[in-house]
């Protein structure tokens, strides 16, 4: 997917505006970006934010390294799984995940890991597709999930609340098909 991943950037921007910039602009201190992909967020972080980017794909990480160099930003890029983060407890001030939680087979485990690596009071910044709430799209979602052998995607805000986060802001975008979430690990 790395080679063609950025093809939808124009459509994404028309639909979601600068949601990536809004969320990345809220990151502070040591920040972990889950599923950094091709590095589309790397030029959106404020100065002084120390970004660690994680992705399963070496191809995505190679593109992210080029994006970081183009943005003049030093980024620690690591290959890894969001469901088993290779970092100690409470090691980040912010965790960012944009348009990737929907592709992680076990959303709850990934969000548990995000909680674990955030320091108390740290920010979780999410943007993602959500479970379809209305028929017939709900049936489409269930069939898609069954083909992949996993449960249907869930609303990111619901998963965050269930896993212990306190939601500060929740915006439903594009007729409710996307959630933009700012949440905190309680202090």
């Amino acid at each position: 997917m790395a080679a063609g991943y950025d093809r939808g950037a124009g459509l994404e921007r028309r639909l979601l505006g600068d949601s990536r910039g809004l969320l990345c602009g809220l990151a502070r201190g040591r920040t972990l970006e889950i599923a950094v992909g091709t590095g589309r967020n790397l030029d959106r972080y404020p100065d002084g934010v120390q970004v660690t980017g994680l992705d399963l794909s070496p191809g995505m990480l190679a593109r992210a390294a080029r994006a970081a160099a183009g943005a003049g930003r030093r980024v620690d890029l690591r290959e890894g799984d969001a469901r088993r983060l290779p970092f100690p407890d409470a090691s980040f001030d912010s965790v960012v995940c944009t348009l990737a939680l929907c592709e992680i087979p076990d959303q709850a485990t990934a969000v548990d890991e995000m909680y674990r690596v955030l320091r108390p009071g740290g920010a979780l910044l999410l943007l993602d597709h959500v479970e379809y709430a209305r028929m017939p799209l709900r049936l489409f979602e269930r069939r898609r999930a069954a083909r992949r052998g996993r449960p249907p995607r869930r609303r990111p805000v619901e998963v965050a609340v269930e896993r212990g986060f306190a939601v500060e802001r929740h915006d439903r975008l594009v007729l409710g098909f996307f959630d933009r979430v700012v949440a905190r690990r309680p202090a």
Side-chain angles (χ1 to χ4, degrees):
M1 286 181 53
Y5 183 77
D6 291 327
R7 286 189 196 125
L11 177 60
E12 176 194 310
R13 180 113 176 149
R14 285 189 295 280
L15 291 174
L16 302 174
D18 192 25
S19 288
R20 288 176 183 268
L22 180 111
L23 291 175
C24 292
L26 297 172
R28 298 290 180 263
R30 292 196 63 212
T31 295
L32 173 62
E33 184 172 336
I34 302 288
V36 68
T38 60
R40 287 173 54 189
N41 292 339
L42 297 178
D43 63 348
R44 293 175 164 97
Y45 289 102
D47 291 339
V49 172
Q50 302 147 19
V51 180
T52 298
L54 180 96
D55 205 286
L56 271 176
S57 166
M60 292 285 202
L61 290 169
R63 288 179 179 266
R66 288 192 292 275
R73 178 175 285 281
R74 291 178 52 190
V75 179
D76 179 11
L77 295 171
R78 308 240 188 130
E79 187 176 340
D81 188 334
R83 297 166 299 172
R84 289 180 298 283
L85 295 175
F87 307 105
D89 295 354
S91 53
F92 293 96
D93 301 297
S94 305
V95 171
V96 174
C97 185
T98 57
L99 303 174
L101 190 59
C102 62
E103 292 299 326
I104 297 171
D106 183 351
Q107 292 172 319
T109 298
V111 174
D112 282 342
E113 280 291 278
M114 294 175 201
Y115 187 98
R116 182 184 66 76
V117 301
L118 267 173
R119 67 167 176 75
L124 174 66
L125 307 164
L126 293 174
L127 172 67
D128 222 317
H129 309 263
V130 299
E131 170 187 55
Y132 299 119
R134 295 188 184 99
M135 297 297 190
L137 293 176
R138 178 170 244 168
L139 291 175
F140 168 77
E141 174 69 19
R142 288 181 182 162
R143 274 190 236 126
R144 178 181 183 260
R147 278 194 314 270
R148 291 180 168 198
R150 57 176 130 164
R153 294 178 289 192
R154 299 193 44 235
R155 299 196 76 85
V157 69
E158 291 172 2
V159 177
V161 168
E162 286 173 6
R163 307 330 277 181
F165 285 96
V167 174
E168 291 182 352
R169 179 176 175 180
H170 170 225
D171 302 307
R172 293 181 74 177
L173 308 170
V174 191
L175 302 174
F177 287 113
F178 291 83
D179 279 349
R180 184 172 55 206
V181 179
V182 177
R184 295 222 175 257
R185 177 180 171 175

